[in-house]
Amino acid sequence: MNDVTEQGEGAEPAYRPIGGAKKDAGPTGPLPLASRRLALVTGGHRRLGGIISATLAQAGYSLAIHGSHDTRLDSHLAIALEENGAEWEGFVVDFADPEAAEELVAQVAERFGRPPDLLVNSAAIFGQDRIDSVTADDLMRHYAVNCAAPAMLTKAFATVPAGTGDRCIVNILDQRIDHPHGDQLAYTLSKLALAGLTKTAASSLAPQVRVNAVAPGLTIATPDYDAEQMARLEQLMPLGRLPQAEQIAQAVLYLAGATAVTGQTLYVDGGAHMRSYDQDFMHLCR
């Protein structure tokens, strides 16, 4: 049971319970739940993952929303699920243990009565280290969550008994993979490994499963940035603008439906991948 908002006695829940549509849904209402495509979005309850989940809900997907420690939803996502009558359920799995990630697909299939049609590998950790400060633990923690867990999920997704319809995976990368810099070394190496997984899996799993990726640029600012710095960073982009999280989510949605596309990476970054930056954006334009 997902605790989105506190409910008064007899109030309708803020999500579409699994297994039933609203009784008054007419012929022009939402699709029957059983006919909707099902997406598993890791890290799908908050920040960029939450935007992706909301966009998929608006497109008519049912959702298995994963969180590493909880599935408390960002408010915009809770609203989107309610407004679109989305069938959804939360799943808590700590990807520090990649073997636990492999079991997640089976948990989703058991709960929904069918395996997911779409897997979005969005969950990630992000630390501050460089070659002179990184530790073996830093490297292994980032690799476990950012690459090993997606690899085990990909294995499970590809091998779970499923129908013959289109099935696909979208990995969330980072524009820095084209021009790596020295900051956040463990994170960068793990994203480079995930990019390698994207190409390898796309080749080995075709034609049964398509595998693509989206590589975002700087989008949802953390408290490390202020408004003036963000404005200056915009001017560093070839397009003179930073991407919006919704644009990244739309790229995921496109790849989810692009049945003739596999092995591709879409950069949604204002053109940042075409330039080399000496440091991470948080250290520039201060």
Side-chain angles (χ1 to χ4, degrees):
M1 185 70 175
N2 295 278
D3 183 18
V4 180
T5 56
E6 292 187 10
Q7 300 293 326
E9 186 175 350
E12 189 175 45
Y15 61 93
R16 180 68 60 79
I18 288 178
K22 292 180 180 178
K23 292 181 180 179
D24 60 353
T28 60
L31 289 172
L33 299 181
S35 65
R36 295 185 176 192
R37 285 171 61 80
L38 172 61
L40 166 57
V41 184
T42 70
H45 60 309
R46 60 188 295 269
R47 292 184 59 80
L48 179 59
I51 299 289
I52 292 169
S53 293
T55 298
L56 292 171
Q58 291 160 1
Y61 277 78
S62 299
L63 287 162
I65 298 175
H66 158 268
S68 290
H69 304 291
D70 63 73
T71 53
R72 292 192 296 270
L73 306 183
D74 279 353
S75 59
H76 70 84
L77 174 55
I79 292 169
L81 293 171
E82 181 177 11
E83 289 182 343
N84 292 278
E87 173 192 30
W88 76 279
E89 185 66 39
F91 298 83
V92 177
V93 178
D94 187 352
F95 285 173
D97 176 10
E99 289 187 353
E102 184 176 4
E103 300 170 0
L104 178 56
V105 171
Q107 293 174 18
V108 171
E110 180 179 6
R111 185 68 183 91
F112 282 82
R114 65 192 193 276
D117 306 289
L118 168 65
L119 166 62
V120 182
N121 283 310
S122 177
I125 61 172
F126 183 90
Q128 301 295 333
D129 49 63
R130 294 178 61 89
I131 192 64
D132 59 353
S133 62
V134 70
T135 67
D137 184 61
D138 293 330
L139 292 166
M140 297 308 295
R141 285 189 303 107
H142 282 78
Y143 185 80
V145 174
N146 298 355
C147 183
M152 300 309 290
L153 283 163
T154 297
K155 171 189 173 184
F157 183 88
T159 56
V160 67
T164 58
D166 180 69
R167 305 183 73 232
C168 61
I169 298 170
V170 180
N171 295 322
I172 304 300
L173 304 179
D174 191 299
Q175 55 82 25
R176 72 178 65 200
I177 61 175
D178 268 26
H179 294 284
H181 50 66
D183 292 331
Q184 298 98 28
L185 178 66
Y187 168 83
T188 300
L189 291 177
S190 67
K191 287 297 184 178
L192 286 165
L194 184 57
L197 173 65
T198 301
K199 288 185 175 294
T200 301
S203 176
S204 60
L205 297 181
Q208 286 78 19
V209 177
R210 298 184 298 109
V211 186
N212 294 289
V214 175
L218 175 62
T219 177
I220 302 176
T222 67
D224 300 301
Y225 299 85
D226 58 38
E228 291 78 10
Q229 182 186 15
M230 292 294 288
R232 289 190 289 269
L233 285 170
E234 283 191 339
Q235 299 310 308
L236 288 185
M237 303 300 109
L239 291 180
R241 66 177 71 94
L242 293 169
Q244 300 299 307
E246 291 77 10
Q247 294 172 319
I248 295 161
Q250 285 295 326
V252 173
L253 183 61
Y254 163 72
L255 289 172
T259 57
V261 178
T262 196
Q264 298 298 310
T265 296
L266 292 182
Y267 291 83
V268 186
D269 63 353
H273 70 282
M274 297 187 294
R275 292 184 179 173
S276 178
Y277 300 93
D278 293 336
Q279 293 179 288
D280 184 63
F281 292 135
M282 66 183 294
H283 302 302
L284 300 176
C285 297
R286 288 190 173 277

